[in-house]
Structures are given as C-alpha cells and as structure tokens.
Amino acid sequence: MDHVKPLRADGRRNREQIVAAAAELVGRDGAQASLEEIARRAGVGSATLHRHFPSRQALLEAVFREGVAQLCARAAAQPGKDPAAELSAWLEEVTVYTATHRGLAAALLTGPDGLSAEELCCTDMLLDVLNVLVARASSVGAIHASATTKDLMMLANAIAVANEDDPLTARRVLRLALTGLRP
C-alpha cells in the first residue's frame, strides 16, 4: 500500500503558488506556457516546480482541476435569492473560464501522458452544481421548461470553444443566447 506523506506548510504553499502562477500564465499563453516563467512567477526554482509536478501534464491537470473546483465552489455558494441572475452569472463564468484557458483540456487529452476524457473530466462536478442552479431557476419559472442542465452546459461550452481566446465575445454571445433574440 502506497503511503503519501502530507506536504509541510512550505511545500503546500509552494504548490499553491505554482498552480496559481500556472493558471495565470496558461490563461495568457495557453497550455504551452513556459515552465521556467511559471516557476519564476511562483517564486520557486525549476527543481521545486518539477518536484511537485514531474511533467507539464501533471501541472496542467492540477490547474484544470483547481479551476473547476473554484467554479463549483462559487456555484455552491449562491444564496438562491435571485435564481435567474445566479444561473446566468455562473454560466457566464464557466464560459469565460473555458474560453480563457486556451487549449487546456485539449492539451491534457492529447499530451504525452494523455488522460482519457473520463480521467480528466470534471463534468460531473460541474453538472452537480449546475443542476442546483437550474432547479432553482426552473422553480421560479425563470428558464424555459424544456431547458436541461446538459443543454445549458453544452451551450456554454460551444460558445467558449467557438470564441476561444476571446472571452469578451464569449460573454456577449452567451448573454445574447440567454436573453434571446427578441427585444
């Protein structure tokens, strides 16, 4: 049985700083962001980066999972006071995140240590929190009765992919889709 030793406080802090720096640079430069620049931005040496993340794939996976976890936490924290606005705001956040983190999921799926879609996919986490937001919006008649959680996730993802590297357009197109074409 493998026993993983917990990180000391400084190791945990270094790991968090590396993931934060990587998220920022992947958002700016895509999945091929410089590992050296990530280490510099995190305030650690290259060896420290590689000790925590032995491959680019491992680092990208951590960035992706951390981003999805943050999105899910923000959805779960919605108070439910304005279900339509909360649903729209969260779908917008997911769309912009996906459009901004250029090539992240694709790089994980196709890289040398390529993960399968099932290994990578955080779709269940996203759908779980989206289910709650959709149920709330449905309960007050704020969305079309036939709109499903999967429909809304597909809509957000399609808009993000079509507008990759252009989060402003992704946001505008999602808002247009959510409000409809009628004035």
Side-chain angles (χ1 to χ4, degrees):
M1 181 168 94
D2 290 337
H3 189 288
V4 177
K5 204 167 76 171
L7 289 174
R8 295 184 333 215
D10 60 334
R12 197 170 40 257
R13 186 175 46 252
N14 285 344
R15 186 180 196 290
E16 290 167 359
Q17 289 172 322
I18 293 166
V19 171
E24 179 184 336
L25 291 172
V26 166
R28 186 189 79 192
D29 300 335
Q32 294 305 313
S34 164
L35 294 179
E36 289 300 318
E37 188 174 350
I38 291 169
R40 271 193 307 277
R41 185 75 54 100
V44 301
S46 181
T48 299
L49 183 144
H50 289 287
R51 208 171 19 260
H52 286 278
F53 303 100
S55 69
R56 176 180 296 277
Q57 291 298 111
L59 178 57
L60 291 176
E61 182 181 354
V63 167
F64 185 76
R65 290 182 189 280
E66 177 64 24
V68 169
Q70 289 175 7
L71 288 167
C72 291
R74 284 193 288 278
Q78 295 294 326
K81 292 181 179 171
D82 187 350
E86 292 168 2
L87 173 62
S88 294
W90 190 76
L91 284 170
E92 189 174 308
E93 189 175 4
V94 168
T95 302
V96 168
Y97 176 84
T98 306
T100 305
H101 287 76
R102 304 187 319 250
L104 184 56
L108 286 167
L109 291 171
T110 61
D113 301 329
L115 301 170
S116 71
E118 293 76 28
E119 291 169 318
L120 165 68
C121 202
C122 300
T123 303
D124 288 345
M125 289 172 51
L126 291 167
L127 289 175
D128 287 347
V129 296
L130 184 54
N131 275 328
V132 173
L133 296 174
V134 167
R136 287 178 186 165
S138 291
S139 73
V140 296
I143 61 173
H144 195 279
S146 66
T148 68
T149 299
K150 287 187 178 183
D151 292 338
L152 293 175
M153 186 59 73
M154 188 183 317
L155 175 68
N157 284 333
I159 290 170
V161 169
N163 295 286
E164 192 172 60
D165 197 25
D166 189 356
L168 295 176
T169 300
R171 175 179 280 128
R172 183 181 58 74
V173 172
L174 179 73
R175 286 178 179 171
L176 180 62
L178 293 176
T179 58
L181 296 175
R182 292 183 218 131

